[in-house]
Amino acid sequence: MIIDIHTHTFPPKIAASTLEKLSRASHTRPFTDGTGEGLAASMAQAGVDCSMVLPVATAARQVEHINDSAAAINSAWPDTGIRSFGCMHPEYENWHGELARVKALGLKGIKLHPVYQGVDLDDARYLRILERAGELGLIVITHAGLDVGFPGVVRCSPEMVRRALEQAGPVTLILAHMGGWRSWEQVLELLPDTTALIDTSFSVGHMCPLDDGYYKDDGDLDLLDGPGFLELVRAFGADRVLFGSDSPWSSQKESREWIEAQALTGEERAAILGGNAQRLLEM
C-alpha cells in the first residue's frame, strides 16, 4: 500500500483563491487545483492508495470547524482513498477538551504549523498540546524548518524540536520536510537520537517556480539530492521515514518515482512508501 502522509486540500469555494494567494507568497506553482477531486486524480496517476490531508488552523476560532470537516472527509473513506488529520492552534483555549474530541471523532492525529500559527514549537502552549496528544495516542505532524512562503522565518528548528521532546511527555511526532526544510545539516546533527520521525514532503527533487523572476538561479530551487536524502534515511533509519508529497505543492507521481529511484533496499522502499504509515495509522 502506498500512503502519502502529507497532503493538503481546500474547500471548493475557496480552493482557487487560496492556491493563488499561497502561490504568490511562495513563488511556486501547484500541481493540482487544491480540491479533493484534484487530489484523487493525482492519486490515480501516481498509484497512491491513501492520502492524508493535513489541515492548518491559522486562527483559534477555526479549530472546531476544521476538525468537524476532517471527520466528514474520513466518513467517505475508503471509497475516496483520502483521509484527514485534525488540527490544533496554540491559542485555542479548550485545547485539552478538543484534543479528546479529536480522538473521539476517530481522527488519528493533528497538524501543527508553527510558522502560520506564530509560536515556536518549544513554547509552553505547544508543549501542553504535545503532551496531551501523547496521552491520547494521537500522532502529531508539524511543519519543520523554513517555510517557502515566509523567507527567513523558523519556528520549528532542530534545536526547538529537541527541547520540546525533552520537556513534553512521550508523543509520536513527525517532522515534515525531512526534519526541517533546508535545515538538514542541523537535523543530522541534533535529531537522529530522538524519538522524532520525518516525512519526505517538499524535500526531494526540485521546486516548480512561477515565471516572476523571484528565483535567480537553479540553485535557489534545489532540494535534497540523492546522497543527502540517503544520509538522512541512514541516520534516522528507514523505519522512521514516511512518504509525503506536500501535494498540491509537489507532484505525487514525481515524488514517488524519485524515491523509488534511490539506492534503497526493497524493504526500506516499501517501509518509506507505505509500511511505516500503515503501522502508525493502524490500517
Side-chain angles (χ1 to χ4, degrees), residues 10 14-24 30 32-34 248-249:
F10 308 97
I14 65 168
S17 60
T18 301
L19 280 193
E20 182 180 2
K21 177 182 177 181
L22 294 174
S23 185
R24 287 199 309 268
T32 78
D33 64 3
W249 303 109

Side-chain angles (χ1 to χ4, degrees), residues 256-276:
R256 175 184 175 177
E257 290 175 347
W258 191 95
I259 290 170
E260 289 177 332
Q262 304 311 306
L264 298 163
T265 67
E267 184 177 347
E268 289 172 332
R269 190 174 297 110
I272 292 170
L273 287 175
N276 296 332

Side-chain angles (χ1 to χ4, degrees), residues 103-183:
K103 178 74 172 182
L105 287 170
L107 304 174
K108 294 293 186 177
I110 58 169
K111 169 69 185 292
L112 304 176
H113 202 307
V115 174
Y116 278 89
Q117 295 173 335
V119 175
D120 292 345
L121 186 72
D122 57 352
D123 185 281
R125 288 166 288 181
Y126 274 138
L127 295 180
R128 64 191 185 182
I129 291 169
L130 293 174
E131 185 151 352
R132 178 63 170 156
E135 291 171 354
L136 292 166
L138 294 171
I139 301 165
V140 178
I141 298 183
T142 181
H143 175 89
L146 289 162
D147 186 283
V148 68
F150 292 79
V153 179
V154 178
R155 293 284 194 175
C156 182
S157 67
E159 294 88 351
M160 293 174 191
V161 171
R162 193 169 186 91
R163 286 194 293 269
L165 288 172
E166 288 170 350
Q167 295 178 72
V171 60
T172 300
L173 179 64
I174 301 173
L175 306 173
H177 317 304
M178 292 300 284
W181 197 69
R182 287 188 165 168
S183 303

Side-chain angles (χ1 to χ4, degrees), residues 37-278:
E37 290 78 7
L39 177 58
S42 171
M43 292 168 62
Q45 182 184 38
V48 170
D49 300 295
C50 175
S51 288
M52 185 63 72
V53 173
L54 302 180
V56 176
T58 57
R61 66 179 182 276
Q62 301 170 337
V63 169
E64 292 177 37
H65 172 70
I66 288 175
N67 287 334
D68 288 338
S69 297
I73 289 173
N74 287 349
S75 69
W77 167 266
D79 295 337
T80 64
I82 299 173
R83 298 177 73 173
S84 182
F85 268 27
C87 73
M88 184 49 61
H89 192 283
E91 299 286 354
Y92 184 74
E93 290 187 4
N94 188 27
W95 56 273
H96 193 275
E98 183 65 11
L99 286 171
R101 194 173 78 92
V102 166
K103 178 74 172 182
L105 287 170
L107 304 174
K108 294 293 186 177
I110 58 169
K111 169 69 185 292
L112 304 176
H113 202 307
V115 174
Y116 278 89
Q117 295 173 335
V119 175
D120 292 345
L121 186 72
D122 57 352
D123 185 281
R125 288 166 288 181
Y126 274 138
L127 295 180
R128 64 191 185 182
I129 291 169
L130 293 174
E131 185 151 352
R132 178 63 170 156
E135 291 171 354
L136 292 166
L138 294 171
I139 301 165
V140 178
I141 298 183
T142 181
H143 175 89
L146 289 162
D147 186 283
V148 68
F150 292 79
V153 179
V154 178
R155 293 284 194 175
C156 182
S157 67
E159 294 88 351
M160 293 174 191
V161 171
R162 193 169 186 91
R163 286 194 293 269
L165 288 172
E166 288 170 350
Q167 295 178 72
V171 60
T172 300
L173 179 64
I174 301 173
L175 306 173
H177 317 304
M178 292 300 284
W181 197 69
R182 287 188 165 168
S183 303
W184 295 304
E185 289 184 7
Q186 292 77 24
V187 170
L188 278 167
E189 179 183 354
L190 294 174
L191 297 181
D193 68 337
T194 69
T195 59
L197 295 87
I198 59 178
D199 80 27
T200 67
S201 61
F202 205 69
S203 298
V204 299
H206 65 280
M207 296 186 287
C208 186
L210 292 177
D211 298 326
D212 60 1
Y214 179 81
Y215 295 107
K216 303 304 181 185
D217 57 57
D218 290 342
D220 290 341
L221 303 172
D222 289 341
L223 298 174
L224 281 169
D225 59 12
F229 171 77
L230 290 172
E231 187 175 14
L232 282 161
V233 171
R234 301 289 177 248
F236 279 82
D239 61 330
R240 291 168 59 197
V241 183
L242 298 97
F243 170 55
S245 67
D246 210 6
S247 177
W249 303 109
S250 290
S251 161
Q252 288 185 305
K253 184 175 185 292
E254 291 180 10
S255 296
R256 175 184 175 177
E257 290 175 347
W258 191 95
I259 290 170
E260 289 177 332
Q262 304 311 306
L264 298 163
T265 67
E267 184 177 347
E268 289 172 332
R269 190 174 297 110
I272 292 170
L273 287 175
N276 296 332
Q278 192 170 7

